[in-house]
Amino acid sequence: MIELEYKINLQLFADEEKTEKATPKKRRESREKGQVLKSQEVNSALLLIVSFISLKIFGKYMYGKIYGFTNYFFNKFSTLDDLFTIKGINNMFYEIIVITAQIVAPIALAAILAGLVANYMQVGFLFTTKTLGVKFSRINPIEGFKKIFSPRSLVELLKSFIKVFVIGYVVFSYLMKKINIIYKLFDMSLGAVITFIGDITFQVAMRAGGVLVVIAIIDYLYQWWDHEKNLKMSKKEIKEEYKQNEGDPQIKSKIKEKQRQIAMRRMMQDVPKADVIITNPTHYAIALKYDKHKSDAPYILAKGMNLVAENIKKTAKEAEIPIVENKPLAQALYKSVEIGDIIPEDLYQAVAEVLAYVFGLRDNQGGL
């Protein structure tokens, strides 16, 4: 019996560890998907504090509206002849809706403003429809159980217990200090009772708000840590992103090669337009052109070395372009001047002598 032993590297089946910070592109894509750093506790704390401050500021206004409406309801409505008609009922409901809106408006507007400010402080301006898309994972019971028993869910549960316990303790402690006054409420006037209840409610709310602010700061730090952890990328993901941004190196190499070929063909097409070809004679070949209507000095139409130089000379011979051997000038032109550029001033004299020689030959041939 033959026993075969296989050694399997289990790391091949494991996901690559995400240890790298998220790139700007990953952060931008996550933000577009609605995955942003946000603590709901910040919203809750600011909403509670602003709402009760608004209640304290507009309390007298709201009390006056409620008192006026109650007085109006019992004194005027009872004297209306059409109170129990369709028209009368409609008018009564219209009056109730208007006065209710006037009473609720200050706190409602303050709460809306607080919510907008809290969200803008954390997220900034963000509009995306990607979070509205249908995700079947949301209705998957297995995924649902995973979320229920996930570390995040446990943190949220622990946070809820802490909030209930700490806020309950703070509120209870404060009320116990006021217990003697609470016992005397039965001996106070209605106005004094309402004022006392309003003040004590505001004080309780502010203390609860203070606790929520502390919890919000801690929760925001936790949410930042969790958000950064979820955004982390593996080295492989960063490499893939780099390839997408910069392009596949093999494709880029092929593109550059194609561009070089196109540039080479274009350059070779310009060789027959040259006035002279200056050579090394075997290593370099430079095609020069002088057009007084185009530039004040001669310029390079084409240049190359080795095989390219041979092709330039071959094309020049076919087009009957003069070829002049001048090793120092050929080397200097190849190294210091790019295609399309005019020659530098320090080479004027040498190039002028070559062009004078070429133009002289051309004139002699024309005279013959």
Side-chain angles (χ1 to χ4, degrees):
M1 182 177 182
I2 301 174
E3 294 184 1
L4 298 177
E5 182 179 351
Y6 294 95
K7 293 183 178 180
I8 300 175
N9 185 2
L10 297 179
Q11 293 296 324
L12 297 175
F13 299 92
D15 292 334
E16 190 175 350
E17 188 177 1
K18 297 184 178 183
T19 57
E20 308 302 313
K21 288 185 178 180
T23 60
K25 181 183 178 183
K26 176 70 177 291
R27 293 180 184 277
R28 185 171 60 253
E29 290 176 347
S30 297
R31 180 178 173 82
E32 291 173 354
K33 293 177 182 177
Q35 299 171 358
V36 293
L37 170 60
K38 181 181 176 182
S39 170
Q40 193 60 40
E41 301 305 322
V42 174
N43 293 39
S44 301
L46 190 60
L47 188 63
L48 177 67
I49 293 173
V50 170
S51 297
F52 275 90
I53 290 176
S54 301
L55 182 62
K56 187 172 182 62
I57 294 173
F58 296 102
K60 291 184 179 180
Y61 161 81
M62 296 170 67
Y63 173 77
K65 285 290 182 181
I66 294 173
Y67 179 82
F69 175 73
T70 305
N71 186 46
Y72 173 81
F73 183 82
F74 284 105
N75 291 331
K76 186 176 179 180
F77 272 19
S78 59
T79 60
L80 295 176
D81 296 332
D82 59 349
L83 178 62
F84 296 103
T85 65
I86 298 297
K87 180 180 179 181
I89 293 174
N90 287 337
N91 290 336
M92 180 181 67
F93 272 107
Y94 174 78
E95 293 289 343
I96 292 174
I97 291 172
V98 171
I99 197 67
T100 302
Q102 292 175 346
I103 293 170
V104 174
I107 296 180
L109 292 175
I112 293 172
L113 182 61
L116 292 174
V117 170
N119 280 283
Y120 185 80
M121 286 169 53
Q122 298 183 82
V123 181
F125 181 77
L126 175 63
F127 177 79
T128 178
T129 58
K130 292 185 178 181
T131 54
L132 302 177
V134 178
K135 292 184 178 180
F136 293 101
S137 60
R138 294 176 179 173
I139 58 176
N140 187 339
I142 297 177
E143 293 295 328
F145 279 116
K146 287 182 179 179
K147 290 181 179 179
I148 292 174
F149 298 102
S150 65
R152 174 177 282 273
S153 298
L154 295 177
V155 169
E156 292 297 326
L157 180 62
L158 179 62
K159 188 171 62 177
S160 299
F161 278 125
I162 293 174
K163 282 198 297 185
V164 171
F165 177 78
V166 176
I167 292 176
Y169 175 77
V170 170
V171 172
F172 179 77
S173 299
Y174 177 76
L175 292 177
M176 288 304 295
K177 294 178 181 178
K178 302 291 182 179
I179 193 67
N180 293 329
I181 302 177
I182 294 174
Y183 286 147
K184 297 178 182 179
L185 288 178
F186 297 101
D187 299 329
M188 297 181 183
S189 63
L190 179 60
V193 170
I194 293 175
T195 301
F196 174 77
I197 291 175
D199 289 339
I200 202 169
T201 302
F202 178 77
Q203 294 298 328
V204 167
M206 289 300 100
R207 282 164 171 75
V211 174
L212 284 178
V213 167
V214 176
I215 294 175
I217 294 172
I218 297 172
D219 183 66
Y220 185 85
L221 294 175
Y222 167 76
Q223 297 295 341
W224 174 84
W225 173 83
D226 188 62
H227 182 69
E228 290 296 318
K229 181 173 70 69
N230 291 332
L231 284 179
K232 280 188 175 181
M233 305 170 66
S234 64
K235 293 181 179 179
K236 182 179 179 181
E237 288 175 332
I238 292 178
K239 289 180 181 178
E240 290 297 327
E241 182 181 303
Y242 177 80
K243 284 185 179 180
Q244 292 175 2
N245 293 338
E246 301 297 329
D248 193 318
Q250 294 182 351
I251 297 176
K252 288 181 68 178
S253 177
K254 290 181 180 179
I255 292 174
K256 288 182 178 180
E257 180 62 28
K258 193 70 175 177
Q259 290 172 342
R260 282 194 295 268
Q261 292 175 359
I262 294 172
M264 181 65 67
R265 285 198 296 267
R266 189 181 296 116
M267 184 185 74
M268 296 304 295
Q269 290 172 357
D270 290 336
V271 171
K273 303 175 184 177
D275 291 321
V276 62
I277 308 297
I278 300 175
T279 64
N280 192 24
T282 56
H283 294 91
Y284 300 103
I286 295 91
L288 280 176
K289 175 73 176 178
Y290 176 59
D291 185 351
K292 62 181 180 180
H293 300 293
K294 187 173 182 180
S295 63
D296 296 332
Y299 56 93
I300 304 295
L301 281 178
K303 71 174 186 176
M305 61 183 300
N306 300 330
L307 183 60
V308 177
E310 292 297 327
N311 290 332
I312 291 175
K313 288 187 288 185
K314 180 181 178 182
T315 304
K317 289 177 182 178
E318 293 174 354
E320 297 183 349
I321 305 299
I323 299 175
V324 176
E325 180 181 336
N326 189 324
K327 295 181 181 179
L329 182 57
Q331 293 178 359
L333 287 172
Y334 185 86
K335 294 177 180 178
S336 61
V337 189
E338 296 299 325
I339 297 173
D341 294 343
I342 61 174
I343 63 172
E345 293 183 7
D346 58 335
L347 297 178
Y348 277 3
Q349 182 64 34
V351 172
E353 291 176 359
V354 173
L355 288 175
Y357 169 73
V358 171
F359 292 152
L361 288 176
R362 187 182 300 170
D363 293 339
N364 292 332
Q365 292 175 355
L368 293 175

